[in-house]
């Protein structure tokens, strides 16, 4: 009985995740639009604007859903990160077959998301320990220091680089404070300050003003959801099939690779 009551209380504390059902469809559509216009459609069609606008919604939206589920909806965020990593490993070969302006080796966005979630989970656990313990655990502090070294090195190899790796930990920090903030000015102000780094990093992730605007705008919408707007979002009428969600990233790259590398 007590266990059931505790579970009900925990569920009540969690924000509504209905928005992620809509987010899955939007993320796949915007990502596919970006990749099709970038790699498949002829340059003469002048569709670069689509990638610089619609396409810039995908990455911050994927990162937001990963951060949200890692923070609110899964008991084992590291196992969740491993699942994302497996998808990245499957997708890496077709990803490497995409036409690129340089031959530099880059790990696809799943590696960025998995590493960002693992890092965010580590930081969240250390912060939680600091809030409850009279003194910091030296092992936790050492892990945080080492994690910044890993961020510096890995940022040279993954898609979206150092800024991309920062996005999920900053999302998790902001979502935590926005969701738990009370009605007092101090709490609301603190939550707003926790959200600012997300927007600052998002503004550094692209080069053109249009791309920056869509990326920052997407992050701002997510932060509003974390601040309470999520409860206003109804459930999605058609839920994303799990197999489609897991397979689309590597499968769409494989299809594009066949099109762009087809002989003749």
């Amino acid at each position: 009985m007590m266990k059931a009551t505790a579970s009900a209380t925990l569920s009540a504390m969690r924000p509504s995740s209905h928005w992620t059902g809509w987010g899955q469809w939007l993320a796949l559509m915007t990502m596919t639009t970006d990749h099709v216009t970038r790699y498949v459609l002829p340059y003469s069609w002048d569709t670069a604007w689509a990638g610089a606008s619609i396409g810039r919604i995908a990455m911050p939206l994927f990162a937001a859903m990963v951060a949200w589920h890692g923070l609110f909806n899964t008991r084992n965020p590291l196992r969740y990160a491993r699942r994302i990593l497996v998808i990245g490993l499957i997708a890496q070969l077709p990803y490497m077959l995409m036409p690129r302006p340089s031959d530099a080796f880059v790990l696809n966005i799943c590696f960025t998301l998995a590493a960002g979630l693992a890092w965010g989970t580590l930081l969240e656990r250390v912060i939680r320990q600091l809030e409850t313990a009279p003194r910091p655990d030296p092992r936790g502090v050492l892990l945080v220091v080492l994690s910044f070294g890993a961020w510096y090195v890995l940022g040279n190899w993954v898609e979206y680089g150092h800024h991309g790796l920062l996005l999920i930990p900053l999302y998790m920090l902001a979502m935590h404070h926005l969701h738990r903030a009370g009605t007092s000015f101090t709490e609301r102000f603190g939550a707003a300050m926790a959200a600012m780094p997300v927007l600052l990093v998002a503004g550094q992730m692209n080069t053109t003003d249009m791309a920056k605007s869509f990326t920052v705008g997407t992050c701002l919408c997510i932060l509003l959801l974390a601040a309470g707007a999520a409860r206003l979002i109804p459930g999605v009428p058609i839920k994303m099939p799990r197999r489609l969600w897991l397979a689309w990233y590597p499968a769409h790259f494989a299809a594009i690779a066949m099109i762009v590398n087809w002989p003749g």
Side-chain angles (χ1 to χ4, degrees), residues 95-236:
Y95 175 80
M96 292 171 61
L97 296 176
M98 298 298 101
R100 300 187 185 283
S102 68
D103 295 329
F105 178 77
V106 178
L107 294 168
N108 65 68
I109 194 174
C110 287
F111 290 86
T112 312
L113 298 176
L117 177 57
W119 191 25
T121 301
L122 169 65
L123 296 178
E124 191 265 339
R125 288 177 179 175
V126 171
I127 291 173
R128 188 189 305 166
Q129 187 269 332
L130 289 174
E131 291 176 345
T132 58
R135 62 179 62 183
D137 182 357
R139 294 173 297 179
V141 174
L142 177 61
L143 282 174
V144 170
V145 173
L146 293 175
S147 72
F148 276 96
W151 163 78
Y152 180 79
V153 173
L154 189 59
N156 297 315
W157 297 95
V158 297
E159 193 172 7
Y160 288 97
H162 294 96
H163 293 118
L165 290 172
L166 280 172
L167 194 55
I168 288 180
L170 292 178
Y171 259 141
M172 293 176 73
L173 178 66
M175 289 172 179
H176 171 80
H177 285 282
L178 288 169
H179 174 59
R180 296 186 60 180
T183 57
S184 70
F185 172 79
T186 302
E187 290 178 305
R188 287 295 180 182
F189 181 77
M193 290 301 98
M196 287 302 297
V198 175
L199 303 178
L200 293 174
V201 167
Q204 302 299 314
M205 289 177 60
N206 297 286
T207 55
T208 68
D209 290 340
M210 178 184 289
K212 289 177 183 290
S213 298
F214 273 81
T215 301
V216 172
T218 302
C219 291
L220 181 59
C221 290
I222 298 300
L223 295 173
L224 291 174
L225 291 170
R231 66 178 181 271
L232 304 177
I233 307 298
V236 64

Side-chain angles (χ1 to χ4, degrees), residues 11-32:
S11 297
M13 292 173 60
R14 292 174 181 155
S16 169
S17 296
H18 286 160
W19 74 269
T20 60
W22 298 93
Q24 287 180 321
W25 289 109
L26 180 59
L28 290 195
M29 288 188 292
T30 53
M31 176 188 68
T32 305

